[in-house]
């Protein structure tokens, strides 16, 4: 069942024949719902009033529930029944990879604005599959750059907690490649784990003085951090790319001090980025909260996609693929473009720390403060390193 419809600039209503239809696949229910709903909100805001070649854009939003089989069914429905021109979303790497495996049959471009497993533009790269954000390998390079400046962090003994599926396995493998990193233990758990006491016992019995969490962003992650702090473990917690701001607010003081090695954007950049400032205002007006980084990534990803669709000769799959490979779009996070060799988005990232605000802003009491910017060249992983052997 369709989770939601949006006709940009026209409000809800019956689709018009001339609408430019874009299929959005995100988890709006289940353990990854906090992430998926942030993305949904970002896509909807970016689509407001949007047109492609003079025709209004219509988003058709489907809930994948972060389940690969369900995600593929929803992708098939969007393409075959709704006749969308392309698919965008992909909160879960496993869902994105599952849909990507059927890309040739679906015959539309598939764009993820969040899936981070290297394989998406690595050894499972393909002509239909695109990513607008950094992947786990890029995030690991960002963490390595941070460690080069923070010797106290590099010297720590790290315990890795990960989700035992595509994203967690990919992320922990990339973290282990950081030069000089000292990993003294690890604990893998399935998505949907609510009780982390056994993993925390493993941490306590190890010699660790730092925790790296390769957990998919969802309720599991907040449960882990709250339980970790509840057990009196106060040493640093490092995430690869941060967590949504809705979840950061839910953690409150337990989230303060968390570090992110490869955050892609923060609403707290509003002071230095007028486009972020406008997005924060519009997002808060629409949803009553600040945008998390997944919402900002979704907004920027759809801005890029709409620019590519406008630049395409026509809206056929081949023309759209060519335009996605060659477009450089001015977005809320800066210029966004895709590397044509593997369809990897060339975007830098930030080292960030979760800080308590002096006074609430837009309802937020905690936020990601960016400490330093890492440009694309600092986090770049070449196609030969990621495993893409050509499209």
């Amino acid at each position: 069942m369709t989770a939601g419809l949006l006709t940009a600039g026209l409000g809800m209503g019956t689709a018009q024949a001339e609408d430019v239809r874009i299929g959005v696949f995100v988890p709006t229910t289940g353990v990854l719902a906090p992430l998926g709903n942030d993305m949904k909100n970002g896509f909807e805001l970016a689509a407001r009033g949007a047109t492609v070649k003079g025709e209004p854009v219509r988003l058709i939003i489907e809930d994948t529930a972060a389940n690969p089989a369900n995600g593929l069914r929803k992708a098939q429905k969007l393409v075959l029944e709704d006749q969308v021109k392309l698919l965008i979303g992909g909160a879960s790497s496993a869902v994105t990879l599952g849909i990507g495996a059927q890309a040739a049959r679906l015959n539309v471009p598939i764009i993820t604005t969040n899936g981070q497993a290297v394989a998406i533009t690595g050894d499972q790269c393909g002509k239909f599959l695109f990513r607008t954000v950094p992947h786990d390998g890029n995030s690991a390079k960002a963490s390595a750059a941070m460690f080069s400046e923070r010797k106290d962090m590099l010297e720590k003994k790290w315990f890795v907690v990960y989700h035992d599926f595509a994203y967690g396995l990919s992320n922990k493998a990339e973290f282990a490649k950081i030069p000089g990193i000292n990993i003294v233990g690890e604990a893998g758990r399935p998505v949907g784990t609510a009780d982390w006491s056994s993993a925390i016992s493993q941490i306590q019995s190890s010699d660790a003085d730092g925790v790296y969490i390769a957990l998919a962003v969802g309720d599991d992650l907040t449960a882990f951090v709250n339980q970790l702090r509840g057990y009196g473990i106060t040493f640093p917690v490092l995430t690869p790319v941060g967590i949504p701001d809705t979840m950061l607010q839910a953690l409150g003081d337990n989230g303060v001090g968390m570090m992110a090695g490869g955050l892609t954007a923060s609403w707290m950049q509003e002071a230095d980025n007028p486009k972020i400032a406008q997005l924060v205002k519009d997002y808060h007006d629409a949803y009553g909260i600040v945008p998390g980084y997944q919402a900002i990534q979704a907004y920027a990803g759809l801005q890029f996609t709409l620019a590519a669709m406008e630049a395409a000769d026509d809206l056929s799959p081949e023309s759209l693929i060519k335009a996605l490979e060659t477009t450089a779009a001015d977005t809320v996070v800066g210029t966004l473009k895709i590397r044509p060799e593997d369809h990897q988005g060339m975007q830098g990232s930030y080292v960030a720390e979760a800080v308590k605000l002096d006074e609430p802003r837009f309802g937020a009491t905690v936020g990601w403060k960016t400490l330093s910017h890492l440009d694309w060249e600092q986090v770049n992983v070449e196609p030969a390193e990621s495993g893409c052997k050509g499209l």
Side-chain angles (χ1 to χ4, degrees):
M1 181 176 182
T2 302
L5 302 178
L6 173 77
T7 303
L10 299 179
M12 304 294 288
T14 303
Q16 302 299 311
E18 66 271 16
D19 290 345
V20 176
R21 304 174 192 176
I22 295 175
V24 176
F25 62 106
V26 288
T28 56
T29 61
V31 293
L32 298 189
L35 185 158
N37 283 308
D38 269 14
M39 293 173 67
K40 172 180 172 290
N41 293 347
F43 288 133
E44 288 182 343
L45 271 187
R48 283 187 178 180
T51 61
V52 169
K53 301 189 182 303
E55 303 296 347
V57 169
R58 178 184 176 220
L59 301 186
I60 305 177
I61 301 170
E62 289 287 349
D63 175 21
T64 67
N67 179 284
N70 188 54
L72 180 56
R73 285 194 297 271
K74 295 301 180 73
Q76 291 169 334
K77 181 259 182 189
L78 287 165
V79 172
L80 301 176
E81 297 180 24
D82 298 308
Q83 300 290 299
V84 300
K85 298 298 183 183
L86 53 79
L87 297 169
I88 191 167
S92 160
S93 293
V95 170
T96 302
L97 288 167
I99 295 173
Q102 299 297 319
R105 187 161 61 87
L106 293 169
N107 195 37
V108 298
I110 302 160
I111 304 158
T112 178
T113 67
N114 187 79
Q116 290 175 251
V118 176
I120 293 170
T121 52
D123 59 17
Q124 296 187 47
C125 64
K127 66 178 282 190
F128 292 98
L129 201 53
F130 295 80
R131 171 165 38 205
T132 59
V133 292
H135 59 56
D136 290 332
N138 303 129
S139 298
K141 282 206 166 184
S143 292
M146 179 194 70
F147 286 145
S148 71
E149 298 294 325
R150 291 282 304 272
K151 299 300 184 185
D152 59 313
M153 294 286 279
L154 183 62
E155 291 167 359
K156 289 191 175 298
K157 297 180 283 293
W158 293 95
F159 193 100
V160 178
V161 179
Y162 66 96
H163 269 139
D164 193 10
F165 81 137
Y167 165 73
L169 294 168
S170 170
N171 194 276
K172 82 180 186 76
E174 295 300 323
F175 183 69
K177 295 177 184 178
I178 294 175
I181 200 72
N182 182 14
I183 297 172
V184 296
E186 61 178 43
R189 297 292 185 272
V191 174
T193 297
D195 182 1
W196 291 92
S197 56
S198 61
I200 294 171
S201 293
Q202 288 179 252
I203 295 170
Q204 290 175 314
S205 62
S206 74
D207 195 27
D209 56 5
V211 174
Y212 179 80
I213 46 177
L215 299 176
V217 174
D219 295 339
D220 295 15
L221 191 151
T222 51
F224 171 75
V225 174
N226 279 331
Q227 290 172 37
L228 184 78
R229 296 313 190 202
Y231 273 76
I233 297 175
T234 60
F235 46 64
V237 172
L238 176 65
T239 76
V241 293
I243 65 175
D245 282 80
T246 50
M247 297 174 64
L248 200 55
Q249 308 317 308
L251 282 172
D253 289 346
N254 282 344
V256 173
M258 291 177 68
M259 297 287 294
L263 188 73
T264 51
S266 169
W267 71 267
M268 290 184 67
Q269 294 168 338
E270 59 174 347
D272 303 312
N273 183 334
K275 293 177 182 177
I276 291 283
Q278 187 62 52
L279 173 57
V280 172
K281 180 182 182 303
D282 293 344
Y283 196 94
H284 183 263
D285 287 348
Y287 307 110
I289 52 177
V290 293
Y293 73 91
Q294 281 94 352
I296 299 172
Q297 288 174 172
Y299 189 96
L302 188 57
Q303 284 185 307
F304 166 79
T305 299
L306 293 173
M309 295 178 81
E310 187 66 39
D313 291 338
D314 54 56
L315 300 184
S316 66
E318 291 299 328
S319 291
L320 287 173
I321 288 169
K322 181 179 178 181
L324 288 165
E325 290 178 337
T326 56
T327 296
D330 184 20
T331 76
V332 70
V333 297
T335 301
L336 224 168
K337 41 187 188 176
I338 295 286
R339 183 165 56 192
E341 292 82 5
D342 59 353
H343 292 173
Q344 173 60 44
M346 296 185 287
Q347 182 185 352
S349 58
Y350 300 87
V351 176
E353 180 180 4
V355 299
K356 191 160 187 172
L357 306 183
D358 293 335
E359 57 183 37
R361 286 189 53 75
F362 298 103
T365 59
V366 186
W368 287 108
K369 179 181 179 181
T370 55
L371 304 178
S372 60
H373 177 246
L374 303 166
D375 62 30
W376 169 247
E377 291 307 316
Q378 291 175 279
V379 301
N380 179 27
V381 176
E382 295 292 345
E385 297 176 73
S386 67
C388 182
K389 295 180 169 56
L391 306 178

